[in-house]
Amino acid sequence: MTDEAQWRYALSFTSGGLLAREGEVVAAIYLASRDWQTARARVMEDNRLQARTNSSLTRVVRETIQRLAALDDDEIELLVESSPTEQHHLMWAAACRRYALIGDFAEEVLRERFLLMTPTLGVDDFDRFITGKSLWHPELDEAKPSTRQRLRQALFQMLREAGLRTDAGNIIPAVISERVAEMLDRRTPSDLRFFPTTTPFTLSGNQVQR
């Protein structure tokens, strides 16, 4: 059994999109205390996300905090003060860290197709990826067709909001700012692998240009 076969994909990202606006709001509140429980209580109490119902507020706050918690505090600080494009890139990285399925798709399909100069990313590419991963992840085989469709729609929505794919399916090269690239490149392996970019990154101490 491979290491990959020993864990299950989390599939709870089917609503909310990239959550960039929500991420900026919650991140700013978190930085006041550096405590997620305190931040959650403040967001819920004041309805800082302006949700229509308490149930939707609870769901969005939970999802936003889970993604932000995948970022380091210095990345969260940058998220609050950064430009919209930088925020979108940081929230895309957060989603890739929080959900291994998204991260694997970003690295193995999105980035690879970009590097191979294949300019489009469509439904068939997602379906082939899911079929391949099903060999190690029975939870994907068990998922209903409607669930797979919602996963694809949510993932493509995130890609569009992150500025990495058009509605027509064209891959958009990521122009990552120097400070965001530096932060993403601190991790091992580099989180620049989640983006369609030719920005060189380090891997095990060696610079990689792909």
Side-chain angles (χ1 to χ4, degrees):
M1 179 179 291
T2 65
D3 290 341
E4 186 179 14
Q6 297 178 32
W7 48 267
R8 295 173 63 89
Y9 278 134
L11 305 176
S12 55
F13 58 88
T14 55
S15 63
L18 194 63
L19 299 176
R21 181 189 68 83
E22 294 83 355
E24 179 186 10
V25 172
V26 176
I29 294 172
Y30 163 77
L31 289 174
S33 64
R34 309 273 174 162
D35 180 83
W36 288 117
Q37 290 186 345
T38 300
R40 181 185 184 280
R42 287 190 59 192
V43 175
M44 292 293 297
E45 180 180 355
D46 301 334
N47 190 12
R48 294 293 185 90
L49 301 184
Q50 300 178 341
R52 294 183 178 180
T53 65
N54 189 66
S55 60
S56 63
L57 177 62
T58 300
R59 183 177 64 254
V60 174
V61 171
R62 179 177 62 247
E63 181 63 28
T64 302
I65 287 178
Q66 286 179 346
R67 296 190 197 180
L68 288 176
L71 300 176
D72 299 332
D73 275 9
D74 55 352
E75 293 172 324
I76 294 175
E77 291 173 359
L78 177 56
L79 178 70
V80 171
E81 66 179 37
S82 62
S83 69
T85 297
E86 290 174 320
Q87 290 174 350
H88 293 160
H89 288 163
L90 286 167
M91 289 303 293
W92 172 249
C96 289
R97 293 178 192 174
R98 170 67 182 89
Y99 294 102
L101 176 65
I102 297 177
D104 286 349
F105 182 83
E107 180 178 8
E108 299 172 18
V109 183
L110 172 67
R111 180 175 172 82
E112 281 302 308
R113 289 182 69 80
F114 171 75
L115 294 174
L116 292 172
M117 293 183 288
T118 306
T120 59
L121 181 67
V123 172
D124 290 345
D125 301 306
F126 178 85
D127 291 343
R128 281 191 293 268
F129 168 78
I130 292 296
T131 298
K133 291 298 182 182
S134 296
L135 297 173
W136 294 278
H137 292 275
E139 65 272 19
L140 295 177
D141 257 343
E142 296 163 4
K144 298 178 180 178
S146 59
T147 299
R148 291 193 180 195
Q149 181 179 8
R150 288 197 301 272
L151 292 172
R152 186 187 70 243
Q153 290 173 340
L155 178 52
F156 283 4
Q157 179 183 351
M158 290 184 206
L159 285 167
R160 176 178 55 78
E161 293 177 1
L164 304 176
R165 179 184 180 272
T166 68
D167 286 335
N170 296 312
I171 296 172
I172 304 173
V175 181
I176 306 174
S177 71
E178 183 176 351
R179 59 182 182 172
V180 170
E182 180 182 352
M183 284 191 175
L184 297 178
D185 198 34
R186 292 177 185 174
R187 300 177 69 94
T188 303
S190 171
D191 278 0
L192 290 173
R193 71 190 192 277
F194 298 139
F195 293 83
T197 178
T198 56
T199 300
F201 60 85
T202 58
L203 183 63
S204 302
N206 298 314
Q207 190 175 65
V208 177
Q209 173 75 62
R210 297 187 61 186

